[in-house]
């Protein structure tokens, strides 16, 4: 009877350890929640943009993040997009000083 209870206890702890290990390894890999699948053609107001992310899959795009938290995808080949990215980078470097 004691051997049976000990066996069940060992199996239980192995199960808990295995679940913990799987959860840890899966959770340690960052996953992007949002990605661009279509691109906006409108030029955005640069003053309303606070951040951006570069993306290459499924489409080559820049995802701008506005002051309200809205994410808008645009083509990185447009001149105004390059200017906006530089402005955001400049804001980052001046805040870091």
């Amino acid at each position: 009877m004691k051997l049976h209870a000990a066996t069940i206890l060992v199996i239980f702890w192995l199960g808990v350890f295995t679940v913990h290990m799987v959860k840890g390894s899966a959770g340690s890999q960052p996953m992007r929640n949002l990605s661009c699948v279509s691109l906006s053609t409108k030029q955005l107001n640069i003053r309303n943009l606070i951040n951006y992310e570069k993306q290459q899959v499924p489409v080559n795009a820049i995802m701008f993040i506005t002051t309200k938290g809205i994410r808008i995808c645009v083509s990185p080949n447009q001149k105004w997009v390059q200017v906006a990215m530089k402005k955001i980078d400049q804001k980052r470097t001046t805040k870091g000083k």
Side-chain angles (χ1 to χ4, degrees):
M1 183 72 168
K2 288 183 180 181
L3 182 61
H4 182 64
T7 304
I8 291 174
L9 188 59
V10 168
I11 291 171
F12 171 77
W13 283 112
L14 284 174
V16 168
F17 181 75
T18 303
V19 168
H20 179 71
M21 291 299 292
V22 170
K23 183 179 178 187
S25 63
S28 64
Q29 298 175 1
M31 296 182 71
R32 177 176 263 173
N33 292 337
L34 301 172
S35 63
C36 301
V37 291
S38 64
L39 304 177
S40 173
T41 57
K42 294 182 181 179
Q43 182 171 340
L44 306 174
N45 186 342
I46 294 174
R47 288 178 283 177
N48 294 336
L49 305 176
I50 59 170
N51 204 356
Y52 68 89
E53 296 176 11
K54 294 180 181 179
Q55 173 188 300
Q56 293 180 332
V57 177
V59 294
N60 190 21
I62 301 296
M63 181 188 297
F64 282 117
I65 303 163
T66 68
T67 54
K68 294 183 179 181
I70 299 170
R71 297 173 184 265
I72 303 169
C73 299
V74 295
S75 171
N77 301 327
Q78 299 178 63
K79 181 67 178 169
W80 74 266
V81 172
Q82 300 298 321
V83 170
M85 291 168 54
K86 285 181 184 177
K87 294 263 186 194
I88 292 170
D89 290 339
Q90 287 172 351
K91 287 180 188 176
R92 288 181 190 162
T93 56
T94 56
K95 283 185 179 180
K97 290 183 178 181

